[in-house]
Every structure is written in C-alpha cells, then in structure tokens.
Amino acid sequence: MIPARVPRVLRMGPARLTAGLDHCRRLDLPAHRTLHGLVEPRELSELISYANEVDMRGRGGAAFPFARKLRAVADAAGSNGESVVLVNGAEGEPASSKDAMLLTRNPHLVLDGAVLAAEALGAREVVVATAGGEVAEASVAAAVAERRAANVSGGAESRVPIRVVGIKERFISGEGGALVKAVNGEEGIPPGRKKRAATSGVDGLPTLLSNTETYAQLALLAEYGPQKYAAVGTAKEPGTILLTVSGGAADGAVIETPTGTLLADVLAMCEADIGDGVLIGGYHGAWLSADAVETAVISREGMKAAGATLGAGIIVPLGESTCALGEAARVASYLAGESAGQCGPCRLGLPDVAKLMNALVEGSGSVDAVRRAVRLVERRGACFHPDGTAKFVLSALDAFEAEIALHQEHGSCGRPVRGVMPMPERAPELEYRLEVDWSRCQGHGLCAHLLPEFVELDDYGFPSFRNVPAWMAKEARRAVDMCPALALRLAGTSGDGHGPGPSKSTGSPLRLVKDGVMKAASVPRLARAGAGGGAAG
C-alpha cells in the first residue's frame, strides 16, 4: 500500500513519466513492459546524440547537461576501465516527493534508464541509493527481484547487476559527494573538497551520478526517439517535468506537466492559496511574489526570468492563513540543524542566522543583522549548504518586507505560524550534555575555546553549557579529553533536552592522565579577552 507521505499523481498534458498510474498503485514488471516494451541496448554515441538533440538536463536541481556527464565518465573509464551508474534517489529535501513517487510507483522506468546508461558505458553495476527503511527502498528491491526472476525464466531483464543501498536520509544526503560517501560505507556528508564523481565515485571508479527522474527521462528518450520526445514542451526545453506541490495547496500532489505551462495553472489545479508568495526550488530556492506567479512559466528559462530557479521542481505556496516570516524562520532553523558540522560557516554561522530570523519574528530583530550574518557564511562553506541557506534567507527578507515591518512595529503580523512548510517527521535525534565537576574546574579557558558555540562564560570565566547535537559529539569529546583539570564529562540526553538519554556518559573527572603529561597545573590559563573572553574547562 502506498503510504500517505507519497502524494497522489496529477497531470497536465500527456502521460509519460506517470503513464499507467491511473490504473495501478505500482507498475510491476509485466505492467511496465505492456506500457513501454523492452528497451533495446543503445551504443554510447547514440545515447549522447539523443541527449544532445533534446538538450537533456539533470532533474536533480543543477540541470547539468546529461550528454556531458556520459562523455566524462566514458573518458575517465577509458577503453578497458570499469565504471558505475549511480541513481540518486536520496530525496533529503522535505518539500520534494517526486523521486519517492517514481521509485515507489514506477521503479522499472527508472531502472530501464539506468541499465541503458550502464550498458552503453560498459559499467560494472547499477547502484540505486535511496532513503533506508522507506517504502521506496522496498519497492526498488522488489523491482530488482522481479527482473532477476524474469531473467531466470528466460527473459532479458537483468543485463547489468543492480544493487540497492539504503542510506540515512538528511537534507544534505542527496548532495553528490555525500551520496558517494554513503554508498562507499562512510558518513554521508559532503566532502570538504569538491570531487567529481565522473572521475572517482563509487569504490573510486568513474561514476555516472544523476537523479531518479533523469534516468526515467532517459528511458523515455530511448523509447520515443528525439523527435517524438520533443513533440511536447518548449523548443528549448522539450518534454515533460515532474513537480511537487505542497504547502498551502488544498490538493498537494506530484504533477507531470509539459515545460512551458504557466505556474498559475499548476497552482490552480491544486487549488493552491498563494498568499504572500510561492517558494520555488525548495529550501535552497527563492520566493516569488503573488504578482510574479501570475506570469511565471514552468521551465528553467521561465523561472530565471521570474527571479527563481526551477531546481528539482519544488513548488510551495504559503497560503493566507499562516505567518510568512514565521514559516521562513522555521525553515532557517531546520536548515541550521541539518548542517554537516564540518566547517565554521555551517557550525557557527547558520545557527546565528536562524536565531536572528526568529528574533525578527518576535519583533526584536533587525534585517541588517540578518544580512550581516548571512554575509559571514556565503561562499565560505565546505559544501553548498551555507550558500543555499543564505539564498533562501535573503529571498525571504526581500519577499516579506511588509510582513517584517508589521512584526517590528507590532511584535506580530496577527497570524499564527501554522507550519505549512513541509518538515520531516522524525524521532528527536540524540543530543549530548556537557557536565562539569565544579570541585575540579579551574577556569583554564579551553572548553569554550574548542566549543565556542556551545559553551559560554560568566564574568568570572566559568562555563555554562548548551546541549550538543549528535553531529558535534566528536568535537565535544575532544573538549572533554583535553580539559586540563579533568573536570568535564559528556552525557547523553533524551534528544529533547530533558533527562538522560540512552547513551552512557563519555569521559570522567577520574580518568587517568597518561604518563602524567596532562596535569592540571602544567597547563597555563588561556588569555582572556575582556571579562569573559577566555574559556573555562
């Protein structure tokens, strides 16, 4: 049974990616073959020619030319080298459901495209990466089993090995480098340095990495041929596209529509209340005003003209009943919590931006302060997360100028924050609590130096602590281990900041000092900048 989190499917124009879904909850292999037939293998040069002819782009947000990706992987692999085809089904964006819909309801179309690419490249295997434990993972695994069974029965369905990998779902999990690391068994966070999957991806091999919808589009392109494929949509961006509409829409859905459709018509189909604006492109996207929505066109070119980026096809109208500024602050706080925690702009800057956005909601903040905080994170991160968050926040400041004025003058706009912006429903994540043995603490100044975002000093230089999220546990343990007075320990909480959690305390004031090297008296106090400028520990 399809769960509630996978929305219903609507369409405007011909059914391509969604063909057959009016009659079937999920297209199994026989139903899929009845609709689409058995796609014959293609030479690499033919696939590249097809993709170039219709200017096929990736549908994951970056819109990179697919033909260039194919060529880059082929060149990196060489004549005798191995390669891998990786399907990015790790939809960490809370406002997007199109990948989950495809993998859950039409998985064989995605697999057809991935296998086509793998055969053309001579790839070792196809890897489908999706959120672990979700229905999409089970659906794809079942589709792979269906193909294997058909092959045993004399079919030609398992021409390339297919492996399904479930990964932890987070906002950053779909970033290319993070996805490759997760598939390779490492922590699924973006690498500090940009690495091209086409050169070194899964198991260090050249990897064709693209989004779920992209592979489904490739299967359709091979089935129809360029001319028929381009019979719908615009001349520059032919074909159909999947959109996820949620938020203030009465009928949230995944919609298949030809490019060139008016955004206003899509919203009308979903009975969407526009309200103060519509978010385009997801939580790293931008807001369009109600006036801009009326003339905006669903295409990369059309959205650019309107002042937004189509991205992965995410459309979130706000509606009239909620506080627009409060909704934007909710998203900013969520994005700050989704940090990988590996660089200063994420670790320090994004929580500051979120705090200042919430101060605006309370009527006590200033737009200038938010903009200053945003400037400190832009173009300085180890990945694109700080820049994407900065783009979202700056767009909200511009779009909700009148709303901000009401909050500053009256403390509120008069509307509650109803939570219409989609957020993941997850159990509270484990947090940690730093505890201090006051009989040992000598105010050496090290713990706040190592964890300035979670340790504050009083006027006498002694610490007070905020809970530490799980992604900062490594740094917190380092502060515990380096405390010269052996005064710190790290304890788990329940995840809501109250009471003990499931983890054991880490570190102890009674732990041994190896070889007598780290005796409290041997470590000088750190110089303090003003009354509380040092760090106690």
Side-chain angles (χ1 to χ4, degrees):
M1 181 176 178
I2 305 300
R5 67 169 302 213
V6 180
R8 66 194 184 116
V9 171
L10 300 174
R11 68 177 65 91
M12 303 175 73
R16 291 187 167 186
L17 295 161
T18 59
L21 298 185
D22 290 339
H23 310 291
C24 299
R25 300 283 281 172
R26 175 184 179 275
L27 293 176
D28 61 12
L29 187 58
H32 172 74
R33 289 291 171 238
T34 299
L35 278 170
H36 297 284
L38 181 64
V39 181
E40 296 298 327
R42 299 292 200 280
E43 294 293 329
L44 178 65
S45 59
E46 186 177 14
L47 279 188
I48 290 175
S49 175
Y50 278 14
N52 274 326
E53 192 168 339
V54 300
D55 191 20
M56 182 177 167
R57 303 293 185 100
R59 303 301 174 94
F64 193 83
F66 189 73
R68 286 173 58 187
K69 278 191 177 183
L70 274 171
R71 175 55 65 194
V73 174
D75 290 345
S79 58
N80 298 316
E82 286 186 314
S83 61
V84 173
V85 169
L86 177 57
V87 181
N88 186 352
E91 201 165 38
E93 165 70 67
S96 181
S97 297
K98 68 181 179 106
D99 287 348
M101 185 281 293
L102 278 174
L103 293 175
T104 300
R105 302 192 62 185
N106 202 1
H108 288 288
L109 190 64
V110 178
L111 294 180
D112 273 357
V115 169
L116 271 171
E119 289 174 331
L121 289 166
R124 182 185 73 182
E125 64 176 342
V126 169
V127 178
V128 183
T130 186
E134 298 291 343
V135 68
E137 181 186 21
S139 175
V140 178
V144 173
E146 289 168 5
R147 288 174 175 245
R148 286 173 182 158
N151 194 58
V152 169
S153 302
E157 299 294 348
S158 295
R159 303 183 301 231
V160 177
I162 303 172
R163 177 162 58 104
V164 183
V165 178
I167 67 172
K168 182 179 179 181
E169 187 177 24
R170 290 186 60 190
F171 186 83
I172 57 174
S173 60
E175 191 272 341
L179 188 74
V180 167
K181 289 179 69 175
V183 171
N184 285 338
E186 303 173 52
E187 185 180 3
I189 61 174
R193 292 183 177 181
K194 180 69 175 176
K195 292 181 67 175
R196 295 181 65 224
T199 303
S200 178
V202 175
D203 295 336
L205 297 174
T207 299
L208 180 67
L209 168 58
S210 209
N211 167 266
T212 297
E213 184 190 344
T214 311
Y215 288 107
Q217 295 281 4
L218 180 65
L220 291 175
L221 178 59
E223 177 186 346
Y224 295 152
Q227 187 172 355
K228 182 178 178 181
Y229 182 91
V232 299
T234 67
K236 289 186 177 180
E237 301 174 39
T240 64
I241 190 169
L242 289 179
L243 308 171
T244 307
V245 183
S246 60
D251 292 316
V254 171
I255 299 180
E256 182 178 16
T257 183
T259 56
T261 304
L262 285 174
L263 173 60
D265 290 343
V266 171
L267 294 173
M269 172 176 267
C270 296
E271 299 180 28
D273 182 4
I274 296 173
D276 289 324
V278 177
L279 180 67
I280 305 293
Y283 292 170
H284 279 176
W287 293 93
L288 290 185
S289 68
D291 290 339
V293 166
E294 291 302 318
T295 57
V297 174
I298 299 295
S299 67
R300 296 189 307 273
E301 192 175 66
M303 284 300 160
K304 183 178 180 181
T309 305
L310 186 58
I314 296 164
I315 299 173
V316 189
L318 267 177
E320 296 280 1
S321 64
T322 192
C323 169
L325 182 60
E327 295 287 350
R330 280 181 67 238
V331 174
S333 296
Y334 163 74
L335 293 174
E338 289 296 293
S339 162
Q342 61 182 340
C343 68
C346 258
R347 229 171 75 185
L348 303 171
L350 294 189
D352 281 349
V353 170
K355 183 174 46 168
L356 292 167
M357 283 291 288
N358 282 286
L360 274 183
V361 176
E362 296 165 2
S364 60
S366 86
V367 171
D368 287 344
V370 178
R371 292 188 185 278
R372 282 196 298 271
V374 167
R375 282 197 293 270
L376 292 175
V377 305
E378 285 183 299
R379 296 180 296 279
R380 298 179 59 211
C383 69
F384 187 68
H385 186 54
D387 286 350
T389 304
K391 177 184 176 183
F392 171 86
V393 169
L394 292 176
S395 176
L397 295 181
D398 293 336
F400 307 137
E401 188 175 354
E403 175 104 351
I404 292 169
L406 285 174
H407 280 258
Q408 290 180 323
E409 185 174 352
H410 303 291
S412 169
C413 64
R415 292 178 290 185
V417 181
R418 298 191 180 277
V420 303
M421 304 296 288
M423 291 288 175
E425 295 181 7
R426 297 174 185 161
E429 292 192 3
L430 180 66
E431 292 185 338
Y432 294 90
R433 180 179 66 251
L434 280 165
E435 297 177 346
V436 63
D437 180 347
W438 295 109
S439 68
R440 289 175 173 269
C441 181
Q442 300 177 22
H444 287 91
L446 194 56
C447 56
H449 177 73
L450 295 172
L451 285 173
E453 59 269 51
F454 301 108
V455 182
E456 295 181 358
L457 304 174
D458 62 19
D459 289 342
Y460 299 100
F462 288 96
S464 61
F465 305 106
R466 292 168 48 204
N467 282 355
V468 179
W471 48 266
M472 283 291 292
K474 181 178 179 181
E475 288 78 2
R477 289 190 184 99
R478 180 168 172 256
V480 168
D481 292 338
M482 294 185 68
C483 175
L486 310 181
L488 284 181
R489 68 173 185 155
L490 190 64
T493 76
S494 61
D496 57 6
H498 303 288
S503 68
K504 297 180 180 179
S505 297
T506 302
S508 166
L510 302 178
R511 67 186 184 275
L512 298 176
V513 183
K514 185 177 180 181
D515 297 327
V517 173
M518 287 189 62
K519 293 181 180 178
S522 68
V523 182
R525 295 169 64 94
L526 295 182
R528 293 179 181 156

